[in-house]
Amino acid sequence: MPLITWRDADGREISGNVASGTNLMRAARDAGVPGIHGDCGGALACATCHVATDPVWAERLGPPGPLEDEMLDMVDGEWTPTSRLSCQILAHEDLEGLILIVPPGA
Ligand code: FES
């Protein structure tokens, strides 16, 4: 159960241990993270689960898949080269300490 932290634009953080196999949109909603809506339930159809990481974590997470990459084009607000859709990231032990940035205006 890795410890995951969500950080908003003002530096406020919410952290929680997430069961392996849980997608990080669902985990954010369960933890009450503002700005992570997950309107499509993780079906890659809304991009309301947008997060970003720092470059080190982006490297460790790997690139978005092709469909995720297409959906990232629809992100409102702050897109970055390290943007991901959190419904497409599954928790596992190697993500211990991961920090996800919730974009401003999300
Ligand atoms: S929850 Fe809709 S794309 Fe992630």
Side-chain angles (χ1 to χ4, degrees), residues 51-76:
V51 294
T53 65
D54 69 28
V56 172
W57 273 111
E59 177 89 20
R60 291 172 71 175
L61 289 172
L67 291 177
E68 182 183 352
D69 203 32
E70 282 182 30
M71 283 305 297
L72 281 166
D73 289 341
M74 300 176 64
V75 164
D76 288 332

Side-chain angles (χ1 to χ4, degrees), residues 25 37-49 71 85-88:
M25 173 278 290
H37 304 290
D39 291 344
C40 76
L44 265 181
C46 72
T48 62
C49 60
M71 283 305 297
L85 296 179
S86 56
C87 69
Q88 300 303 302

Side-chain angles (χ1 to χ4, degrees), residues 2-97:
L3 179 67
I4 308 295
T5 296
W6 292 265
R7 181 182 295 155
D8 72 13
D10 296 322
R12 289 180 295 242
E13 294 184 345
I14 294 176
S15 297
N17 290 100
V18 179
S20 292
T22 303
N23 80 58
L24 298 187
M25 173 278 290
R26 176 73 53 204
R29 289 182 51 155
D30 289 349
V33 177
I36 303 294
H37 304 290
D39 291 344
C40 76
L44 265 181
C46 72
T48 62
C49 60
H50 175 215
V51 294
T53 65
D54 69 28
V56 172
W57 273 111
E59 177 89 20
R60 291 172 71 175
L61 289 172
L67 291 177
E68 182 183 352
D69 203 32
E70 282 182 30
M71 283 305 297
L72 281 166
D73 289 341
M74 300 176 64
V75 164
D76 288 332
E78 301 284 322
W79 179 90
T80 78
T82 63
S83 286
R84 293 294 308 267
L85 296 179
S86 56
C87 69
Q88 300 303 302
I89 305 170
L90 299 181
H92 57 85
E93 294 305 321
D94 290 347
L95 299 188
E96 175 68 27

